[in-house]
Amino acid sequence: MDVKPPEAALEEADTLCQRRGVRLTAQRRQVLQILCAARRPLGAYEILEAMRDGSRPLAPPTVYRALDFLLEQGLVHKLESLHAYVGCTHPDHPHFSQFLICADCGLVTELEDEAIAASLKSAASETGFRPRRRVVEVIGTCANCAGKATD
Amino acid sequence: MDVKPPEAALEEADTLCQRRGVRLTAQRRQVLQILCAARRPLGAYEILEAMRDGSRPLAPPTVYRALDFLLEQGLVHKLESLHAYVGCTHPDHPHFSQFLICADCGLVTELEDEAIAASLKSAASETGFRPRRRVVEVIGTCANCAGKATD
DNA sequence: CGTGAAGCGGATAGAGTATAACGTCTTTCA
DNA sequence: TGAAAGACGTTATACTCTATCCGCTTCACG
Ligand SMILES: [Zn+2]
Ligand SMILES: [Zn+2]
Ligand SMILES: [Zn+2]
Ligand SMILES: [Zn+2]
């Protein structure tokens, strides 16, 4: 598996934000760190819970504000079908990605498939539709879980 | 526009449910009727409001149960990005469809595009992923609204 | 320095979405 | 008729997200 360690993702985010002239504050960074460290999508309240180091009391707007920033910067994605968030696996370039979501183990794979992008674009343009945002999520069973089931 | 009148959709639903041996009760039928009559996606609580003929008090589980049934039977679809529901435009055969959602006027177009289906299937199978449910929603501007904007 | 604008974040409240749990009534079918 | 399954009413509650107000920090500008 070529999953980047969370530290690398965070350093990349630092660089990107600096280059863009936006501020990856401690709190935003912490949310990103929590998302990258988790091996699965997290709900806003799960992130909130993880942010509470037993010390501060934190309210929902705190995490939603951080998420808004991270979403705008393309550092995290929202999974609409789960109401949950994941760290982006390749935030260095703007992209629209697709997600394979395992309903059994929670594994999420972020794809950047040209053929899917092209077919969507073509279908939209046929009707004169101008795409802005694209939500592509496939819920099913990952190879690992499928293998176990058929053993 | 070849939009079916709501009555036709309801009669088709009657036939389908009878053939499948499931019960399209008055309440379920009413939810479907409300969705078909609306020219736009409706939230669960909007449906609930429409169901209250000024008489009965109705609670959320009522509409969610009806929606569960209609979703299972493929008579309605859920738009995950809007938390809203629409009547299916061709419920006679099992299908996975894609949605073009106009952010300006709320128009929703249900597509059944072979190329998109094929590219998704191919991308999934490359990783051994077994798809069960597919969420494909493109948010943007419809041809009509785009035309107005550039006038 | 002083000051004002902008951005960030704490805090409270509340809107909107969805489900759990339990009881009752109806339909189905042996 | 009687049992089982399904549909529905009801209450309560969990979960997701936003509005709003206020205070703090930062930083440019005079
Ligand atoms: Zn990404
Ligand atoms: Zn899995
Ligand atoms: Zn459909
Ligand atoms: Zn439009």
PDB file of all heavy atoms in Angstrom, chain B residues 67-81:
ATOM      1  N   LEU B  67     -40.794   6.490   2.209  1.00  0.00           N
ATOM      2  CA  LEU B  67     -39.641   6.710   1.323  1.00  0.00           C
ATOM      3  C   LEU B  67     -38.769   5.463   1.236  1.00  0.00           C
ATOM      4  O   LEU B  67     -38.290   5.111   0.161  1.00  0.00           O
ATOM      5  CB  LEU B  67     -38.819   7.899   1.813  1.00  0.00           C
ATOM      6  CG  LEU B  67     -39.442   9.274   1.548  1.00  0.00           C
ATOM      7  CD1 LEU B  67     -38.653  10.374   2.249  1.00  0.00           C
ATOM      8  CD2 LEU B  67     -39.528   9.554   0.051  1.00  0.00           C
ATOM      9  N   ASP B  68     -38.568   4.785   2.359  1.00  0.00           N
ATOM     10  CA  ASP B  68     -37.781   3.549   2.347  1.00  0.00           C
ATOM     11  C   ASP B  68     -38.368   2.554   1.360  1.00  0.00           C
ATOM     12  O   ASP B  68     -37.654   1.955   0.557  1.00  0.00           O
ATOM     13  CB  ASP B  68     -37.741   2.929   3.751  1.00  0.00           C
ATOM     14  CG  ASP B  68     -36.782   3.667   4.665  1.00  0.00           C
ATOM     15  OD1 ASP B  68     -35.964   4.460   4.149  1.00  0.00           O
ATOM     16  OD2 ASP B  68     -36.854   3.475   5.882  1.00  0.00           O
ATOM     17  N   PHE B  69     -39.680   2.404   1.447  1.00  0.00           N
ATOM     18  CA  PHE B  69     -40.356   1.487   0.534  1.00  0.00           C
ATOM     19  C   PHE B  69     -40.171   1.906  -0.917  1.00  0.00           C
ATOM     20  O   PHE B  69     -39.764   1.107  -1.769  1.00  0.00           O
ATOM     21  CB  PHE B  69     -41.844   1.409   0.870  1.00  0.00           C
ATOM     22  CG  PHE B  69     -42.644   0.640  -0.142  1.00  0.00           C
ATOM     23  CD1 PHE B  69     -42.762  -0.742  -0.039  1.00  0.00           C
ATOM     24  CD2 PHE B  69     -43.265   1.288  -1.201  1.00  0.00           C
ATOM     25  CE1 PHE B  69     -43.488  -1.460  -0.976  1.00  0.00           C
ATOM     26  CE2 PHE B  69     -43.988   0.579  -2.142  1.00  0.00           C
ATOM     27  CZ  PHE B  69     -44.098  -0.802  -2.030  1.00  0.00           C
ATOM     28  N   LEU B  70     -40.425   3.151  -1.193  1.00  0.00           N
ATOM     29  CA  LEU B  70     -40.353   3.641  -2.570  1.00  0.00           C
ATOM     30  C   LEU B  70     -38.926   3.569  -3.112  1.00  0.00           C
ATOM     31  O   LEU B  70     -38.720   3.289  -4.300  1.00  0.00           O
ATOM     32  CB  LEU B  70     -40.884   5.079  -2.638  1.00  0.00           C
ATOM     33  CG  LEU B  70     -42.371   5.233  -2.292  1.00  0.00           C
ATOM     34  CD1 LEU B  70     -42.752   6.700  -2.138  1.00  0.00           C
ATOM     35  CD2 LEU B  70     -43.244   4.554  -3.344  1.00  0.00           C
ATOM     36  N   LEU B  71     -37.949   3.790  -2.244  1.00  0.00           N
ATOM     37  CA  LEU B  71     -36.548   3.678  -2.667  1.00  0.00           C
ATOM     38  C   LEU B  71     -36.216   2.224  -2.994  1.00  0.00           C
ATOM     39  O   LEU B  71     -35.584   1.941  -4.010  1.00  0.00           O
ATOM     40  CB  LEU B  71     -35.621   4.194  -1.563  1.00  0.00           C
ATOM     41  CG  LEU B  71     -35.594   5.720  -1.384  1.00  0.00           C
ATOM     42  CD1 LEU B  71     -34.886   6.103  -0.089  1.00  0.00           C
ATOM     43  CD2 LEU B  71     -34.935   6.397  -2.580  1.00  0.00           C
ATOM     44  N   GLU B  72     -36.659   1.319  -2.136  1.00  0.00           N
ATOM     45  CA  GLU B  72     -36.402  -0.106  -2.376  1.00  0.00           C
ATOM     46  C   GLU B  72     -37.005  -0.552  -3.694  1.00  0.00           C
ATOM     47  O   GLU B  72     -36.423  -1.355  -4.415  1.00  0.00           O
ATOM     48  CB  GLU B  72     -37.021  -0.942  -1.256  1.00  0.00           C
ATOM     49  CG  GLU B  72     -36.113  -1.177  -0.073  1.00  0.00           C
ATOM     50  CD  GLU B  72     -36.851  -1.900   1.044  1.00  0.00           C
ATOM     51  OE1 GLU B  72     -37.860  -2.586   0.758  1.00  0.00           O
ATOM     52  OE2 GLU B  72     -36.438  -1.752   2.213  1.00  0.00           O
ATOM     53  N   GLN B  73     -38.179  -0.058  -3.985  1.00  0.00           N
ATOM     54  CA  GLN B  73     -38.869  -0.461  -5.206  1.00  0.00           C
ATOM     55  C   GLN B  73     -38.378   0.318  -6.429  1.00  0.00           C
ATOM     56  O   GLN B  73     -38.866   0.105  -7.545  1.00  0.00           O
ATOM     57  CB  GLN B  73     -40.380  -0.271  -5.044  1.00  0.00           C
ATOM     58  CG  GLN B  73     -40.978  -1.163  -3.974  1.00  0.00           C
ATOM     59  CD  GLN B  73     -40.743  -2.638  -4.236  1.00  0.00           C
ATOM     60  OE1 GLN B  73     -40.828  -3.096  -5.378  1.00  0.00           O
ATOM     61  NE2 GLN B  73     -40.411  -3.384  -3.192  1.00  0.00           N
ATOM     62  N   GLY B  74     -37.445   1.230  -6.208  1.00  0.00           N
ATOM     63  CA  GLY B  74     -36.909   1.995  -7.332  1.00  0.00           C
ATOM     64  C   GLY B  74     -37.899   2.993  -7.905  1.00  0.00           C
ATOM     65  O   GLY B  74     -37.772   3.416  -9.052  1.00  0.00           O
ATOM     66  N   LEU B  75     -38.877   3.383  -7.112  1.00  0.00           N
ATOM     67  CA  LEU B  75     -39.878   4.331  -7.609  1.00  0.00           C
ATOM     68  C   LEU B  75     -39.444   5.771  -7.355  1.00  0.00           C
ATOM     69  O   LEU B  75     -39.932   6.687  -8.011  1.00  0.00           O
ATOM     70  CB  LEU B  75     -41.234   4.058  -6.946  1.00  0.00           C
ATOM     71  CG  LEU B  75     -41.820   2.683  -7.274  1.00  0.00           C
ATOM     72  CD1 LEU B  75     -43.040   2.386  -6.414  1.00  0.00           C
ATOM     73  CD2 LEU B  75     -42.198   2.617  -8.752  1.00  0.00           C
ATOM     74  N   VAL B  76     -38.581   5.961  -6.416  1.00  0.00           N
ATOM     75  CA  VAL B  76     -38.009   7.284  -6.190  1.00  0.00           C
ATOM     76  C   VAL B  76     -36.496   7.134  -5.995  1.00  0.00           C
ATOM     77  O   VAL B  76     -35.996   6.041  -5.745  1.00  0.00           O
ATOM     78  CB  VAL B  76     -38.628   8.006  -4.955  1.00  0.00           C
ATOM     79  CG1 VAL B  76     -40.138   7.947  -4.970  1.00  0.00           C
ATOM     80  CG2 VAL B  76     -38.083   7.428  -3.668  1.00  0.00           C
ATOM     81  N   HIS B  77     -35.810   8.247  -6.152  1.00  0.00           N
ATOM     82  CA  HIS B  77     -34.374   8.275  -5.895  1.00  0.00           C
ATOM     83  C   HIS B  77     -34.073   9.334  -4.850  1.00  0.00           C
ATOM     84  O   HIS B  77     -34.794  10.317  -4.723  1.00  0.00           O
ATOM     85  CB  HIS B  77     -33.611   8.614  -7.178  1.00  0.00           C
ATOM     86  CG  HIS B  77     -33.770   7.608  -8.262  1.00  0.00           C
ATOM     87  ND1 HIS B  77     -33.270   6.321  -8.172  1.00  0.00           N
ATOM     88  CD2 HIS B  77     -34.380   7.681  -9.470  1.00  0.00           C
ATOM     89  CE1 HIS B  77     -33.571   5.660  -9.280  1.00  0.00           C
ATOM     90  NE2 HIS B  77     -34.237   6.461 -10.092  1.00  0.00           N
ATOM     91  N   LYS B  78     -32.974   9.107  -4.150  1.00  0.00           N
ATOM     92  CA  LYS B  78     -32.529  10.111  -3.191  1.00  0.00           C
ATOM     93  C   LYS B  78     -31.351  10.867  -3.779  1.00  0.00           C
ATOM     94  O   LYS B  78     -30.430  10.263  -4.323  1.00  0.00           O
ATOM     95  CB  LYS B  78     -32.100   9.443  -1.882  1.00  0.00           C
ATOM     96  CG  LYS B  78     -31.564  10.459  -0.891  1.00  0.00           C
ATOM     97  CD  LYS B  78     -31.281   9.859   0.462  1.00  0.00           C
ATOM     98  CE  LYS B  78     -30.903  10.974   1.441  1.00  0.00           C
ATOM     99  NZ  LYS B  78     -30.562  10.434   2.761  1.00  0.00           N
ATOM    100  N   LEU B  79     -31.412  12.184  -3.689  1.00  0.00           N
ATOM    101  CA  LEU B  79     -30.278  12.996  -4.101  1.00  0.00           C
ATOM    102  C   LEU B  79     -29.452  13.306  -2.860  1.00  0.00           C
ATOM    103  O   LEU B  79     -29.845  14.124  -2.026  1.00  0.00           O
ATOM    104  CB  LEU B  79     -30.773  14.284  -4.766  1.00  0.00           C
ATOM    105  CG  LEU B  79     -31.637  14.061  -6.001  1.00  0.00           C
ATOM    106  CD1 LEU B  79     -32.145  15.382  -6.559  1.00  0.00           C
ATOM    107  CD2 LEU B  79     -30.862  13.291  -7.063  1.00  0.00           C
ATOM    108  N   GLU B  80     -28.318  12.639  -2.768  1.00  0.00           N
ATOM    109  CA  GLU B  80     -27.516  12.734  -1.545  1.00  0.00           C
ATOM    110  C   GLU B  80     -26.995  14.139  -1.317  1.00  0.00           C
ATOM    111  O   GLU B  80     -26.883  14.594  -0.188  1.00  0.00           O
ATOM    112  CB  GLU B  80     -26.347  11.753  -1.608  1.00  0.00           C
ATOM    113  CG  GLU B  80     -26.745  10.295  -1.588  1.00  0.00           C
ATOM    114  CD  GLU B  80     -27.221   9.838  -0.216  1.00  0.00           C
ATOM    115  OE1 GLU B  80     -27.082  10.601   0.750  1.00  0.00           O
ATOM    116  OE2 GLU B  80     -27.748   8.713  -0.130  1.00  0.00           O
ATOM    117  N   SER B  81     -26.669  14.822  -2.396  1.00  0.00           N
ATOM    118  CA  SER B  81     -26.059  16.139  -2.235  1.00  0.00           C
ATOM    119  C   SER B  81     -27.086  17.183  -1.810  1.00  0.00           C
ATOM    120  O   SER B  81     -26.723  18.278  -1.395  1.00  0.00           O
ATOM    121  CB  SER B  81     -25.367  16.575  -3.517  1.00  0.00           C
ATOM    122  OG  SER B  81     -26.308  16.710  -4.559  1.00  0.00           O
TER     123      SER B  81
END
